[in-house]
Amino acid sequence: MTFKDLGLSNSLLKAIEKKGYTQPSPIQEKAIPQVLQRKDVLASAQTGTGKTAGFVLPILELLSTETFKRPQVRALILTPTRELAAQIQQNVKEYSLFLDLKSTVIYGGVNQKPQVATLKQGVDILIATPGRLIDLNNQGFINLKKIELFVLDEADRMLDMGFVRDIQRIMAILPEKRQNLLFSATFSKEIKKLANGILTQPVMVEATPENTTVEVIKQRVIRMDKPRKTAYTIKIISEGDWQQVLIFTRTKHGANKLTEKLNNKKISAMAIHGNKSQNHRTKALAQFKKGEVRVLVATDIAARGIDIPLLPHVINYEIPNISEDYVHRIGRTGRAGANGVAISLVDNDELAYIRDIEKLTKQKFEKEIIEGYEPPHIDESQIKKPKGNPGQTRGRNSRNPNSKPGNKKHYYQKKSKGRG
């Protein structure tokens, strides 16, 4: 199947060709025709599958078939992080190169004045993070009454970051009659319940088996003495002469500390996490993509949405205590059919997390032990999961206990009760 077979216009086909794509990915092949038929869609697709184009291309096609004056937004794409919002905006700009459509992106952490100035000029498509969207709406700078298409991207991460209340407030100000698209890496019970309150008779699209990891990624799990993790990380990067490595930590402090130690060993590294300014995060990502920085050390939330073509190496310096995050992390490599290696350094305190990941991904890891870095001997049959979620960072609503994922009180009312 070709992109032309999907029913896209020549203007879009020209833009797609300019980007170098020839055939649609499975998620694009399944989702685009459904969106073009004006159906609500519930789609599950992992990172690196081309899911962004799966909703951007049909939205551009639908909006370009009718011409309107531009004072009001017609399509809203809501996403959890600044990096992902910026990435989606870049995709929209590239695909709409030969169309008379305007778009912009708004997110927090930067001055709102340039964003407001662009909105006043009129845009067709708005990409936004929840917090800044609500802030500018409350100030009267955004009119969402003419929204025809609404996309909730990375819905699973939205829940993890505690954005339930923000999404609820946004849904309340959207017009009841609209087309809805919900994209998520997983189809958990919470996601299906969320979708049930937003979508109307949705078509379910699934590009990959639920909660499986990309087959082209070589996954290594190494049992490790916790104090020796840094030394081993430096060793494999140096001896392998790795020039582009994405490393995940659970905490902001851990990211800063590891970055400092890498730089001290003449391995150029930068950290991105919630305490870093948006300008720093943008600069770090740009330098990493250009090869000016060898190592990017990131927390899960900051790294969501990072798109780095042909990234060869991912290191889980600390194992995520939310199992789904493992799938998202290693999905940074092995994209677009390329091979990738994901190495997880597991100390004794993290063995329970690995067991949860094995259960989620339906695979059994062969655990390696490297001479000189062996962990203290323990009886693995006595391993218990640590209490709580140490080190997990959350979103802007994390201070509110009622906004934690899984709390049933704040999922949406049915449309008949006015939640759209």
Side-chain angles (χ1 to χ4, degrees):
M1 178 174 285
T2 66
F3 283 102
K4 186 174 183 180
D5 296 330
L6 296 178
L8 299 176
S9 64
N10 288 333
S11 296
L12 281 174
L13 293 175
K14 187 177 177 181
I16 293 168
E17 183 180 3
K18 186 177 177 64
K19 281 181 64 67
Y21 299 131
T22 56
Q23 289 185 314
S25 67
I27 187 63
Q28 294 163 3
E29 190 174 316
K30 294 178 181 180
I32 290 175
Q34 302 295 343
V35 179
L36 290 177
Q37 292 177 39
R38 291 286 188 178
K39 294 180 180 178
D40 281 14
V41 173
L42 173 60
S44 173
Q46 297 171 0
T47 55
T49 59
K51 70 178 177 63
T52 300
F55 60 78
V56 167
L57 288 172
I59 286 175
L60 292 173
E61 181 69 31
L62 291 172
L63 295 184
S64 65
T65 57
E66 299 175 350
T67 55
F68 286 84
K69 292 183 179 179
R70 274 207 183 93
Q72 295 171 321
V73 182
R74 298 169 59 197
L76 171 65
I77 302 171
L78 197 65
T79 192
T81 67
R82 306 164 189 174
E83 284 76 17
L84 185 56
Q87 177 192 318
I88 294 173
Q89 164 65 351
Q90 184 62 32
N91 274 264
V92 171
K93 287 175 64 177
E94 291 171 349
Y95 287 125
S96 62
L97 188 61
F98 305 106
L99 297 173
D100 183 25
L101 293 172
K102 291 188 177 181
S103 62
T104 195
V105 60
I106 60 172
Y107 47 71
V110 295
N111 192 321
Q112 73 172 37
K113 288 184 179 179
Q115 297 177 357
V116 171
T118 302
L119 287 169
K120 286 182 177 179
Q121 295 174 11
V123 296
D124 300 282
I125 303 168
L126 177 63
I127 303 100
T129 54
R132 179 53 61 94
L133 180 67
I134 291 172
D135 290 343
L136 294 188
N137 179 73
N138 289 343
Q139 295 175 60
F141 293 126
I142 299 176
N143 185 342
L144 300 177
K145 294 180 180 179
K146 297 295 183 181
I147 293 293
E148 303 170 31
L149 291 141
F150 171 64
V151 180
L152 185 63
D153 191 25
E154 302 278 11
D156 51 334
R157 176 54 61 179
M158 288 280 197
L159 299 188
D160 285 346
M161 292 176 65
F163 280 127
V164 174
R165 280 192 168 182
D166 282 354
I167 297 173
Q168 186 177 22
R169 293 170 65 184
I170 292 165
M171 299 297 295
I173 58 180
L174 297 180
E176 185 172 342
K177 186 177 180 180
R178 63 179 189 273
Q179 184 179 3
N180 305 284
L181 314 175
L182 189 151
F183 282 74
S184 172
T186 61
F187 276 163
S188 65
K189 291 180 180 178
E190 290 79 13
I191 289 296
K192 289 176 180 177
K193 187 166 187 176
L194 172 65
N196 191 44
I198 297 176
L199 309 176
T200 301
Q201 297 180 331
V203 175
M204 188 173 288
V205 173
E206 194 167 3
T208 54
E210 183 173 355
N211 289 328
T212 58
T213 50
V214 183
E215 293 180 359
V216 294
I217 301 172
K218 180 181 180 181
Q219 301 172 67
R220 295 179 60 194
V221 173
I222 304 174
R223 293 283 309 281
M224 182 71 54
D225 183 26
K226 188 173 184 178
R228 301 283 289 158
K229 282 188 177 185
T230 301
Y232 185 74
T233 299
I234 292 170
K235 172 185 169 67
I236 58 176
I237 293 174
S238 298
E239 293 185 357
D241 194 26
W242 293 357
Q243 295 301 310
Q244 196 175 47
V245 190
L246 178 59
I247 301 180
F248 286 97
T249 62
R250 276 201 304 270
T251 67
K252 303 167 187 176
H253 174 71
N256 290 337
K257 190 175 179 181
L258 180 58
T259 300
E260 181 181 356
K261 290 182 177 180
L262 288 168
N263 282 313
N264 287 340
K265 292 295 182 178
K266 308 303 180 185
I267 298 174
S268 58
M270 294 185 74
I272 59 171
H273 52 67
N275 285 354
K276 297 290 186 180
S277 70
Q278 184 58 40
N279 286 337
H280 172 93
R281 289 158 67 168
T282 302
K283 180 181 177 182
L285 184 56
Q287 290 184 343
F288 184 61
K289 286 184 175 182
K290 291 178 183 177
E292 296 171 1
V293 171
R294 291 173 65 182
V295 180
L296 192 65
V297 186
T299 56
D300 290 294
I301 288 176
R304 188 66 170 222
I306 289 177
D307 185 12
I308 304 162
L310 305 179
L311 175 66
H313 302 104
V314 167
I315 298 176
N316 290 309
Y317 182 84
E318 294 171 321
I319 307 305
N321 48 296
I322 297 177
S323 301
E324 288 84 353
D325 284 343
Y326 175 83
V327 178
H328 300 316
R329 286 182 178 192
I330 74 166
R332 301 297 118 197
T333 186
R335 300 173 81 106
N339 292 322
V341 177
I343 298 176
S344 298
L345 308 182
V346 185
D347 61 52
N348 287 343
D349 294 336
E350 298 171 317
L351 285 171
Y353 298 150
I354 282 293
R355 285 186 176 178
D356 287 345
I357 292 168
E358 288 177 327
K359 183 179 179 181
L360 177 76
T361 60
K362 297 179 176 61
Q363 62 182 322
K364 186 71 175 178
F365 295 122
E366 180 182 341
K367 300 175 183 66
E368 305 174 38
I369 293 181
I370 307 297
E371 185 178 354
Y373 300 89
E374 303 93 333
H377 177 74
I378 61 170
D379 183 355
E380 292 192 35
S381 65
Q382 302 299 315
I383 294 171
K384 294 182 180 180
K385 183 180 292 187
K387 294 182 179 180
N389 289 329
Q392 181 67 16
T393 52
R394 292 293 181 192
R396 73 194 295 269
N397 288 340
S398 58
R399 60 188 177 275
N400 186 337
N402 289 330
S403 68
K404 289 180 180 178
N407 188 303
K408 301 295 191 288
K409 294 182 180 179
H410 299 299
Y411 287 104
Y412 306 117
Q413 305 285 333
K414 288 289 188 179
K415 290 186 176 180
S416 60
K417 294 184 181 180
R419 281 295 172 198

